[in-house]
Amino acid sequence: MEVFNSTLGSGFILVGILNDSGFPELLCAIITALYFLALTSNGLLLLVITMDVRLHMPMYLLLWQLSLMDLLQPSVIIPKAVLDFLLKDNTISFGGCAFQMFLALTLGSAEDLLLSFMAYDRYVAICHPLNYTILMSQKVCCLMIATSWILASLSALGYSMYTMHYPFCKSRQIRHLFCEIPPLLKLACGDTSTYELMVYLMGVTLLFPALAAILTSYSLILLTVLHMPSNEGRKKALVTCSSHLTVVGMWYGGAIFMYILPSSFHSPKQDNISSVFYMIVTPALNPLIYSLRNNEVIEALRRVLGKKFSVHSTF
């Protein structure tokens, strides 16, 4: 089989959901709108948590990290995809493809770990409130954040380098919105069966333990909440946990579909839809789910915006 030199040639051609859609202009407008929603909402949440000292506690520091990841994640994909569609140039260099894959894997894996830490934080806050400052101190919170980024970066670096070491066949078209492991392996000339098993095991190792920890935490939370004497406290706990579970459902559904379900069970078009859902839709909706259903965030937003308007009115 003839191969092309992907390191010296023009790289790859991304043929994603915008090119395969029956209404590409409409879809491009929707994806662009979702991207600006993700930028605005996550940026605003980052600003509020940074400026309001009352939110400088572990729960909101973890939420700050989630907003940062949700701001960066679509930024790795959407600007290039939209510009490529408008300019009719879908090429990406070999190095650019490797770097995009590394960033997407890092941010995705870090969010996977962070969501499990956020579930543990809610478990401690609701089930062990008297020990919260000990079990979820600033030091523990910073350790959780550092663990998420370091483990995710190391895993992403290893898998990105190994994926790109394969010789790729003459067809340069990646039938995906961005460079991701499963669609790239379909272009490889060598035997990838062992590596595909490794990718599957990576997905199982990263996703399932974190998901199990999340479900365990919220199961224990539910049992505790049901025995709460205060209706107001019960309602607040349920609202907070339900918003977290909504985020978890959206994120893990798409990720499991992409990395756990065997490739024979889904088509490139389904892969594109799945990736759009957990890489674009979820980051856009996350801050809305947290802020609209959290009175402390809403009050902090009012205080921050009030300060801004009062400063401008003095000039």
Side-chain angles (χ1 to χ4, degrees):
M1 182 182 291
E2 185 179 1
V3 300
F4 72 95
N5 191 336
S6 54
T7 58
L8 299 177
S10 55
F12 303 98
I13 300 173
L14 293 169
V15 184
I17 193 170
L18 292 176
N19 304 90
D20 288 341
S21 170
F23 303 95
E25 291 82 8
L26 176 61
L27 186 58
C28 181
I30 293 173
I31 289 178
T32 303
L34 284 171
Y35 175 60
F36 279 110
L37 176 62
L39 283 183
T40 305
S41 55
N42 284 295
L44 192 58
L45 200 51
L46 287 171
L47 176 67
V48 169
I49 295 173
T50 301
M51 295 191 63
D52 196 309
V53 293
R54 301 180 198 183
L55 298 184
H56 291 181
M57 57 183 73
M59 173 184 173
Y60 294 106
L61 291 178
L62 293 175
L63 181 57
W64 194 94
Q65 286 294 317
L66 181 66
S67 293
L68 177 64
M69 293 173 186
D70 284 341
L71 187 147
L72 295 175
Q73 204 163 358
S75 298
V76 173
I77 302 165
I78 302 306
K80 175 170 176 53
V82 172
L83 282 176
D84 286 352
F85 176 76
L86 296 175
L87 299 175
K88 308 299 181 185
D89 180 17
N90 295 342
T91 59
I92 184 170
S93 66
F94 181 89
C97 185
F99 188 56
Q100 187 184 57
M101 184 193 305
F102 167 74
L103 291 178
L105 282 173
T106 298
L107 292 165
S109 301
E111 183 160 337
D112 168 57
L113 294 171
L114 188 70
L115 287 173
S116 64
F117 291 141
M118 292 177 74
Y120 172 76
D121 171 73
R122 290 300 82 207
Y123 161 73
V124 174
I126 295 171
C127 300
H128 302 282
L130 298 179
N131 296 322
Y132 183 77
T133 55
I134 299 173
L135 297 175
M136 278 302 299
S137 63
Q138 293 283 89
K139 185 177 181 180
V140 172
C141 183
C142 291
L143 182 62
M144 288 178 170
I145 293 170
T147 299
S148 298
W149 284 108
I150 292 171
L151 290 182
S153 299
L154 292 175
S155 173
L157 181 63
Y159 279 96
S160 298
M161 291 177 64
Y162 199 85
T163 300
M164 302 307 288
H165 97 284
Y166 280 103
F168 295 97
C169 299
K170 192 168 185 179
S171 174
R172 298 163 49 219
Q173 291 189 351
I174 302 174
R175 296 183 59 81
H176 207 58
L177 187 64
F178 64 101
C179 289
E180 200 167 10
I181 294 176
L184 260 173
L185 290 181
K186 294 178 181 178
L187 304 183
C189 293
D191 180 18
T192 62
S193 57
T194 302
Y195 182 56
E196 286 182 45
L197 178 60
M198 289 174 58
V199 172
Y200 169 79
L201 292 175
M202 174 198 71
V204 170
T205 303
L206 280 175
L207 294 173
F208 281 166
L211 183 58
I214 291 170
L215 295 178
T216 301
S217 295
Y218 284 112
S219 297
L220 295 172
I221 288 171
L222 182 60
L223 291 174
T224 302
V225 166
L226 292 176
H227 291 89
M228 280 185 174
S230 168
N231 287 332
E232 184 179 348
R234 188 186 304 122
K235 181 180 178 182
K236 183 178 180 181
L238 286 174
V239 166
T240 303
C241 294
S242 62
S243 65
H244 289 200
L245 286 174
T246 302
V247 171
V248 167
M250 291 191 299
W251 168 255
Y252 281 93
I256 288 173
F257 182 88
M258 191 69 191
Y259 283 95
I260 303 298
L261 198 66
S263 58
S264 57
F265 285 85
H266 45 96
S267 65
K269 187 173 183 179
Q270 291 172 324
D271 288 346
N272 269 299
I273 295 172
S274 174
S275 294
V276 165
F277 197 79
Y278 76 88
M279 294 292 282
I280 301 168
V281 176
T282 303
L285 296 181
N286 274 357
L288 299 179
I289 291 171
Y290 280 104
S291 60
L292 291 178
R293 305 187 69 178
N294 190 309
N295 290 330
E296 290 178 337
V297 173
I298 293 174
E299 289 300 321
L301 178 61
R302 288 172 180 166
R303 288 194 294 269
V304 171
L305 293 180
K307 288 180 183 178
K308 289 287 184 183
F309 287 129
S310 63
V311 169
H312 285 299
S313 64
T314 60
F315 291 96

